[in-house]
Amino acid sequence: MKSRKIISIIFALVIVALVLPACASLAKPAIVISSPPSGSTYREGDDVAIQSTSADAAGVVRVELAIDGAVVRNDAPPAPQANFSIIQTWKATAGAHTVIVRAHNAAGTASDPAAISISVSPAAAAPANAPTPVLPTAVAQPPTPIPPTAVPPTSAPTACANNAVFVADVTVPDGTPLSPGQTFNKTWRVKNTGTCAWTTAYDFAFVTGEAMATTTAIAAPSTAPGATADFLVAMTAPTTPGIHAGQWKLRNADNVFFGGTMTANINVINPSAPPPAQPPAPPPATGCSGTPNIASFTAAATTINGGQSTTLNWGAVTGADSVEIDNGIGGVPAPGSTSVTPGSTTTYTLIAHCGSNTKTAQATITVQLLGPPPIALPDLYVSEFSLNPDPPHKSQVTQVRVGVYNQGNAASTGFKVQWYAGSGYPSAACNWNVGSLAAHGGQILTCNAPANTWGSWYGSITTRVKVDPDGSVTESNEGNNIYDKNISVSP
């Protein structure tokens, strides 16, 4: 009897040993949608950006995006990640839709779905021609009107003005080191300093440099004058080591850029180089609630000569779980100090975080540059290029649309713009003479390309736009006057 009991115990232990690993392998990843909120509305043709965060101990290897049950995207990190954040975009179509995301781990197990509902309104139809009114053959004479009491004239309403200024790098400050090909989310905080309210007809768009993103324009959230908005762009670091940067700006409903230029500036590290020294870790979070308080934030010298250094000093910061300084300084303990050597007049912003609540303080250091002040010059580049239809037929007349922008501090006059059907073509298919372009101003140019532009050739080709091809305008940057784009010409 005793031996039977021992055998039963051993058998039960074997069953438990087999079942426990199997249960562990069935663990599911977790995933949540952080934006947009459920119930959001869009217009037909908008790019809807769905941001999700997933987690799994075995590592997340893929995130699946489905619209109304149909999978439209699958995206994967470079390697399995225990915590993975990503923004996936979808071109909105009219109607009510259910957006679903699922995470898959290295064991092939899918998470429970995370879902939100959105609605998309149809694009506005062009108004029909109004019918010609039919006049009656006889009109009754109205009674003699009583002269109205005189009313003083009122002034015409004043048109609002657009403007925007950079507030802070919420994520990935300038100079952040990244691995080749590493994905990251760059977030800028921007303040509406104009008198126009921003709507979803406004967008935040790439203008020059390296975009490092597949989406080069995102819709602006509704932002009243004086309020701030955060703009998040999903990016991928280039594979070439070194400094990489791209510039972005706000653009209004009329496709006119305005406000300050926001920069994404990263340092891609050579994987074979020794790792850089790690800065001291910030103090652990202590838990907080409400809005933080900053005792002080000052500079020892607020005016210095070029090449000189000064010291930033800040006092105690209470009610915060993290503290950071922009312009590449990053997380800091409080109170504290650090030495800086700005190359030009710079405003440093100290940001205290408590969850989603923030408090900021600023210190501006004026840098006096030795020698004569720089001469203001224009800087011309291509801000937009498109063909209609796209892709074009090898023998059909194609409408060409080119946007030219002057991001310099002086107006430019009397320059040419040329479009070549291919980068190796000897002569331009379209030529424009631009009379003048104000500083920080743009202009849209169009033309109909001649029939049979590409002759008998079709397939992949690099088309080219040249701004100021003969160098008639002296610019602050002569290296951004050629714009190349790969297109496909149908037979």
Side-chain angles (χ1 to χ4, degrees):
M1 182 64 71
K2 188 174 182 179
S3 62
R4 285 183 183 177
K5 187 176 293 185
I6 293 173
I7 292 173
S8 297
I9 293 172
I10 294 174
F11 181 77
L13 292 174
V14 170
I15 293 300
V16 170
L18 292 174
V19 170
L20 285 178
C23 293
S25 66
L26 295 177
K28 296 180 179 179
I31 189 167
V32 295
I33 297 177
S34 52
S35 70
S38 188
S40 297
T41 59
Y42 295 87
R43 296 178 303 175
E44 186 176 14
D46 284 351
D47 286 324
V48 181
I50 299 95
Q51 181 176 9
S52 64
T53 301
S54 50
D56 186 83
V60 175
V61 298
R62 177 167 59 91
V63 173
E64 175 187 275
L65 171 65
I67 307 297
D68 300 327
V71 176
V72 297
R73 286 193 66 147
N74 276 289
D75 297 275
Q81 295 187 12
N83 292 280
F84 181 49
S85 294
I86 189 172
I87 293 178
Q88 297 169 295
T89 58
W90 169 68
K91 186 73 72 175
T93 58
H97 302 283
T98 300
V99 179
I100 300 172
V101 292
R102 287 185 177 90
H104 297 257
N105 66 12
T109 304
S111 69
D112 291 328
I116 61 171
S117 297
I118 64 172
S119 60
V120 180
S121 59
N129 292 329
T132 302
V134 178
L135 297 177
T137 57
V139 179
Q141 295 300 318
T144 302
I146 298 173
T149 303
V151 178
T154 58
S155 58
T158 303
C160 65
N162 285 303
N163 204 0
V165 297
F166 168 81
V167 175
D169 289 311
V170 179
T171 61
V172 193
D174 288 351
T176 297
L178 296 172
S179 301
Q182 180 178 345
T183 58
F184 63 99
N185 291 333
K186 172 66 180 184
T187 304
W188 295 268
R189 181 159 295 151
V190 184
K191 185 175 182 179
N192 182 350
T193 57
T195 57
C196 298
W198 301 343
T199 67
T200 54
Y202 287 59
D203 61 12
F204 185 69
F206 168 73
V207 292
T208 189
E210 297 177 85
M212 297 180 283
T214 56
T215 299
T216 55
I218 60 173
S222 297
T223 309
T228 60
D230 287 356
F231 293 92
L232 185 151
V233 179
M235 295 184 171
T236 302
T239 56
T240 304
I243 300 298
H244 298 269
Q247 286 73 48
W248 299 66
K249 295 188 75 168
L250 266 296
R251 182 168 57 184
N252 67 15
D254 296 323
N255 289 325
V256 176
F257 289 95
F258 65 89
T261 300
M262 318 300 160
T263 301
N265 184 304
I266 63 170
N267 182 16
V268 177
I269 303 301
N270 186 344
S272 61
Q278 295 297 318
T286 57
C288 61
S289 62
T291 302
N293 182 63
I294 300 172
S296 62
F297 183 51
T298 60
T302 57
T303 301
I304 61 175
N305 293 326
Q308 291 182 332
S309 300
T310 187
T311 301
L312 296 174
N313 300 286
W314 56 96
V317 177
T318 56
D321 52 28
S322 65
V323 182
E324 62 177 322
I325 301 176
D326 64 355
N327 290 296
I329 297 176
V332 293
S337 63
T338 187
S339 177
V340 293
T341 310
S344 59
T345 297
T346 303
T347 297
Y348 293 88
T349 303
L350 180 115
I351 311 165
H353 299 272
C354 178
S356 60
N357 298 320
T358 60
K359 184 69 175 289
T360 62
Q362 293 184 323
T364 299
I365 300 172
T366 302
V367 178
Q368 298 177 334
L369 301 177
L370 302 179
I375 299 174
L377 293 173
D379 182 12
L380 305 172
Y381 70 94
V382 176
S383 61
E384 179 182 340
F385 173 80
S386 63
L387 296 173
N388 184 22
D390 187 8
H393 188 273
K394 67 180 182 179
S395 62
Q396 71 186 161
V397 174
T398 298
Q399 185 185 64
V400 182
R401 178 184 171 96
V402 175
V404 183
Y405 189 77
N406 177 11
Q407 67 178 359
N409 294 322
S412 61
T413 57
F415 64 93
K416 297 179 180 178
V417 179
Q418 297 175 328
W419 171 65
Y420 292 80
S423 59
Y425 280 36
S427 60
C430 290
N431 290 274
W432 297 273
N433 290 316
V434 180
S436 64
L437 200 59
H440 305 288
Q443 187 171 341
I444 299 297
L445 310 171
T446 61
C447 86
N448 288 330
N452 205 28
T453 298
W454 288 276
S456 62
W457 192 94
Y458 64 89
S460 178
I461 191 170
T462 300
T463 188
R464 170 168 290 180
V465 179
K466 294 182 179 180
V467 179
D468 189 31
D470 53 5
S472 62
V473 177
T474 301
E475 303 179 55
S476 60
N477 180 8
E478 300 285 358
N480 60 354
N481 286 2
I482 294 179
Y483 175 87
D484 288 341
K485 181 178 181 178
N486 291 326
I487 62 171
S488 178
V489 179
S490 62

